[in-house]
Amino acid sequence: MGLETFASLAAFCGEFIATPRTIGSLIPSSGWLARHIARQVPETDDGYVIELGAGTGAITRALEQQLSNPDRLVCVERSATLVTRLRRHFPQRCIIEGDAGQLGELLRSQLGADMRISHIVSSLPLRSLAPPLVAAISQEVQQLLPDNGHYIQFTYHIGDPGDSAPPGFRRLGTSRVWGNLPPARVDVFTPERSETADLASAA
C-alpha cells in the first residue's frame, strides 16, 4: 500500500469513527466503483456535474478523467478535514464545504443563479442519515436538475430495488459492482415532476 493510499484510508477511517452515520462505510470507494460511476456521466456536455460526499476523492479522480472539460466538476463535502485534503489534491477543482441539505444555496453562492446542472453524483449514505435530512437532500437535487438531468446514487444495499425511487424521481437503471468491498449498487434516476408542480412553477 502506497503512502498516499494509506493516508487517504487513515483520513477516511478517522471520519468514520468520528461521524459514522455521515460516512456510511469504513472503507473508501474502490477504483472499480469510482470508474463505474463516472461512466454514467457523458464525456461532453454543457452542464455542471455535482459530486456530493466527495470524501477522499476516489470518485472525484474518476470523474476528472471521464470529463472532456473537468472544469464542469464541482464537489461538495461536509467534513472540513476531508475538504482540506480535497483542495490539496484537486487544486483546480471547485470544492465546496457544506451540507447537501442546503445544496441549492451552496451552489448558487459559488456558481451564480443561472447555473445549469446536468448530473448530480452522490456518495452520501442516505440509508444511515436522518429521514428529514434525506428528504431535504432529495428535494434539493430534484429542484436543481432539469427534466433530462440525471441523479446517480450508489449504495451498499445491493438487493433488488424493484421500481422504487426517491420521491420526485423515476428510475432509469440499476447496476452492481461486485469488485468493490463491500459490493455496491449504482442507481440512475431522472426528475419526475407532477402536473401540479409544473403548473405552479409556470404560474
Side-chain angles (χ1 to χ4, degrees), residues 11 15 23 51 53-57 60 75-91 93-99 106:
E15 291 299 301
I23 298 297
E51 182 189 4
T56 58
T60 309
C75 304
V76 178
E77 171 57 54
R78 183 176 183 176
S79 163
T81 299
L82 295 179
V83 164
T84 299
R85 285 186 56 82
L86 288 165
R87 288 174 175 165
R88 184 166 70 248
H89 291 287
F90 302 94
R93 301 284 76 82
C94 176
I95 311 293
I96 302 174
E97 180 181 346
D99 193 321
L106 291 173

Side-chain angles (χ1 to χ4, degrees), residues 80-138:
T81 299
L82 295 179
V83 164
T84 299
R85 285 186 56 82
L86 288 165
R87 288 174 175 165
R88 184 166 70 248
H89 291 287
F90 302 94
Q92 295 181 309
R93 301 284 76 82
C94 176
I95 311 293
I96 302 174
E97 180 181 346
D99 193 321
Q102 289 88 43
L103 185 59
E105 180 181 348
L106 291 173
L107 294 178
R108 282 187 288 271
S109 68
Q110 295 289 323
L111 306 178
D114 59 347
M115 61 186 172
R116 180 185 178 276
I117 297 169
S118 63
H119 291 73
I120 294 180
V121 178
S122 171
S123 301
L124 299 175
L126 299 182
R127 292 174 62 85
S128 66
L129 297 179
L133 178 56
V134 173
I137 293 170
S138 180

